[in-house]
Every structure is written in structure tokens, then in C-alpha cells.
Amino acid sequence: MNTERLTNGLTAMGVAFDQNAVDRFAAYCDILDEYNAKMDLTAVLSDDERIDRHFLDSAAPLAQGLIAPDAHIIDVGTGAGFPGVPLLILCPTLRMTLLDALAKRVNFLNDALARLGLTAATLHARAEDAARMPEHRAQYDVAVSRAVASAAVLQELTLPFVKTGGLSVAWKGPGVADELTAARRAAFVLGGTVRGVVPAPVPGRDDWNHVLLLTDKTGVTPKAYPRKAGTPNKKPLA
Ligand code: SAM
């Protein structure tokens, strides 16, 4: 791994890190490479692209001071662990749950977490089903989600997990403006209020225009939501 690119990037973002974090990012690269060689885990990227697209991009909410160090947090549709694993590497005191619908990704995560010496819960489930379980519904300070669905659909997949007073953070691109009206309507139905978008720049990638869509959980999600698995995507609220 290009350690300098990672450490320069984190420093430019104002994100704190220590040598343990750097070592864990390097080990995570090796584990991702090992799995990608034997299965279709995630897009194969160059070392530098992986640092920018996965590690630095995932750290954005820490740069914004959006997540308390002891937050109870769920990563909905984490895939190979983004943004959840980088957030945990940078802030191992987070109480993290990594959720994904695909078993092979959850199996990978269990192995990767053990080898990285990190503690997190993993959950093999559809978000729509997990959010109806009492141990997960309205239990989290923060729900994060990247590259899983449109903004309106994401509201239904994340807000039911969040406690009143908590926050949903969704990674979005420059097209988010077109999704905002629908996202606001969906949030309203689900007991949330869109706070707005904040820039989430990755150092040296000024053309990306990545943003975080922030939605506050201002109320309680009605019992009817989330709807059954698949329905949020097929019939988005709003
Ligand atoms: N968040 C990761 C990232 O940014 O690299 C993975 C993105 S990948 C494009 C989308 C992931 O979301 C997949 O791993 C998929 O299995 C998961 N996913 C999609 N819909 C889901 C749902 N309703 N419940 C749980 N996981 C879901």
C-alpha cells in the first residue's frame, strides 16, 4: 500500500490516525487482494484508487466531526466493508454493525475483522428485515450507507435503524440535487428531516464533488416501514 498517499490524504482531511490504523489499512489491502483473487468480492482497483475511492472517501464523516467516538453505528449495505471498516480502523471505539444481504461478503468481513483485530457485529440480512428486529430497530446513533440505492430508497433502508435524535449519513455524487425533493418527502414519512448536504472532498480528487446527505431522525418511524424486502426499491416513497 502507498502509505504516504493514505497518510497525506487523512492529514489533509484533518482526520486523526495512528500507526495502528496505517498498519490495519495495509493489512486490509492484503486481505481484499487475497479474496479478490478467488472470488468476485469487489471491483479490483489500483492501490492508489483504492486509497482514494474506499479509504479516504469512507473517512469523510470523521473529517466533518459527524460521528462521536463511542457512537452505535450501522453500515447498511456495507459490501466489502465500506464505509464501515475504514471508519472502525480510524476509530476503533465505535460500536459498529456491518450489514449486508450477501452471505459471501459477510463471511469475508468476519474473517477480515478477526485478522485485523477489530471488534464489530456483522449481520447477514436485508435491511428491510433487520430493521424490524427489536434489537436493531431505532437502536443506532448513526446509520451510514454508500452506493446502495437512490436517496429516497436509502431513507427507508436506514432511518428505521436510527434512534430519535440520531443521524443518517448517505454518500452521494454531484447528482444528489435531483434526488433531494424525493429524499425529503421520504424522510418526512419515515420520521426524519433532511438537514442538507455537506461537501465530502477527497484530497487531489477535486473533480469528484462527493457529498454526504444528512438526515436527522426527528421522530419515530411508523410501524408500516420499512416495507417488505424489495418494495422500497420497486416503489420508492415520494
Ligand atoms: N457500501 C459498499 C461500498 O460503498 O463499496 C458496497 C456497495 S455495493 C454497490 C451495494 C451493497 O449493498 C451490496 O453488497 C448489496 O448486497 C447491498 N445491499 C443492497 N440492498 C440491500 C438491502 N436491501 N439490504 C442489505 N444489503 C443490501
Side-chain angles (χ1 to χ4, degrees), residues 77-79 82 99-102 105 125-128 146-148 157:
T78 187
F82 305 109
L99 176 149
D100 203 276
L102 271 189
R105 295 199 169 123
R126 298 279 308 213
E128 299 92 318
R146 192 184 83 154
V148 173
L157 298 184

Side-chain angles (χ1 to χ4, degrees), residues 59-215:
L62 299 176
Q64 304 283 344
L66 290 168
I67 301 177
D70 62 345
H72 197 195
I73 176 168
I74 184 165
D75 182 4
V76 177
T78 187
F82 305 109
V85 172
L87 289 172
L88 192 59
I89 288 175
L90 289 163
C91 193
T93 51
L94 290 172
R95 291 173 291 147
M96 176 71 73
T97 296
L98 301 167
L99 176 149
D100 203 276
L102 271 189
K104 71 173 179 181
R105 295 199 169 123
V106 176
N107 293 339
F108 158 78
L109 289 167
N110 286 330
D111 185 34
L113 289 166
R115 288 162 67 178
L116 294 173
L118 290 169
T119 303
T122 57
L123 189 55
H124 171 217
R126 298 279 308 213
E128 299 92 318
D129 299 326
R132 292 190 163 276
M133 300 172 188
E135 64 270 35
H136 295 293
R137 189 175 182 87
Q139 295 299 311
Y140 294 89
D141 302 306
V142 183
V144 292
S145 195
R146 192 184 83 154
V148 173
S150 72
V153 174
L154 271 185
Q155 303 289 28
E156 189 165 355
L157 298 184
T158 60
L159 281 173
F161 288 107
V162 182
K163 308 174 177 166
T164 304
L167 182 68
S168 162
V169 181
W171 275 242
K172 285 282 152 193
V176 70
D178 300 333
E179 298 182 52
L180 272 183
T181 302
R184 282 186 203 284
R185 287 202 200 112
F188 179 74
V189 172
L190 295 157
T193 307
V194 172
R195 191 193 296 183
V197 295
V198 293
V202 173
R205 311 304 291 250
D206 300 338
D207 51 319
W208 281 2
N209 296 319
H210 287 186
V211 299
L212 300 177
L213 169 64
L214 307 182
T215 304

Side-chain angles (χ1 to χ4, degrees), residues 23-44:
D23 293 345
R24 279 179 167 139
F25 275 119
Y28 190 27
C29 281
D30 292 343
I31 301 167
L32 284 164
D33 286 341
E34 181 190 314
Y35 270 78
N36 269 332
K38 60 183 180 189
M39 66 163 72
D40 180 22
L41 179 70
T42 178
V44 178

